[in-house]
Amino acid sequence: MTLWQPGMTITAGRLNDGPPVITTDSGLVAASGFAVNDFRGYRCGRNITLDMYLHRTGTDIPVTGGNINDTQVCTAPPGWRPTSGTLNGSWDDGTAQGGFVIGTDGICTLRTSNGELIRGDATAPTGNGRNLRLHADFIIDN
């Protein structure tokens, strides 16, 4: 199969040709102990990118045995979830970082941390809870 042939000109229109990008900034639901700061979802064809920005309002999430307990943080809106199974993503709060999973039900659960506790407002001076940034890219079946 030949991808390029003599005489083919790459134009701005050809470079931008493709499915439209669909965006959303609503529908993310914070779990207990979290609040949504910002949410952005991008979909182009079957590719989805989610950027979820949350504030920890509950108590500190401590490190036990070198890791945190699995902690549900939010639920992605319908239409913005994986379709073929649970997927991995990464998160950080500027100090701690780790991995999370997002299931076909949209539930996002922190699974790992680099060993730093995630500070919450309930045990720290007001407003000192950490802001978590979660990011996931995936391809859906439909």
Side-chain angles (χ1 to χ4, degrees), residues 98-109:
F100 77 98
V101 293
I102 178 171
T104 57
D105 56 4
I107 295 174
C108 297
T109 304

Side-chain angles (χ1 to χ4, degrees), residues 87-121:
L87 300 171
N88 298 309
S90 60
W91 70 270
D92 78 272
D93 71 1
T95 302
Q97 61 187 2
F100 77 98
V101 293
I102 178 171
T104 57
D105 56 4
I107 295 174
C108 297
T109 304
L110 301 183
R111 297 289 313 271
T112 61
S113 174
N114 64 346
E116 180 72 27
L117 70 82
I118 302 167
R119 187 163 306 282
D121 282 342

Side-chain angles (χ1 to χ4, degrees), residues 46-67:
R46 294 183 177 181
N47 299 304
I48 290 181
T49 296
L50 299 177
D51 287 312
M52 299 164 281
Y53 186 41
L54 304 161
H55 182 76
R56 177 65 177 160
T57 59
T59 60
D60 294 351
I61 301 173
V63 175
T64 306
N67 199 13

Side-chain angles (χ1 to χ4, degrees), residues 1-101:
M1 179 170 138
T2 303
L3 296 178
W4 181 83
Q5 296 177 8
M8 290 183 67
T9 304
I10 298 175
T11 64
R14 184 169 284 167
L15 287 174
N16 292 323
D17 192 20
V21 176
I22 300 166
T23 62
T24 189
D25 61 3
S26 64
L28 185 71
V29 177
S32 178
F34 291 89
V36 175
N37 285 338
D38 194 25
F39 168 61
R40 300 282 186 232
Y42 306 92
R43 179 176 177 165
C44 185
R46 294 183 177 181
N47 299 304
I48 290 181
T49 296
L50 299 177
D51 287 312
M52 299 164 281
Y53 186 41
L54 304 161
H55 182 76
R56 177 65 177 160
T57 59
T59 60
D60 294 351
I61 301 173
V63 175
T64 306
N67 199 13
I68 58 173
N69 290 330
D70 288 0
T71 304
Q72 182 179 335
V73 294
C74 62
T75 302
W80 296 90
R81 302 170 177 177
T83 55
S84 61
T86 300
L87 300 171
N88 298 309
S90 60
W91 70 270
D92 78 272
D93 71 1
T95 302
Q97 61 187 2
F100 77 98
V101 293

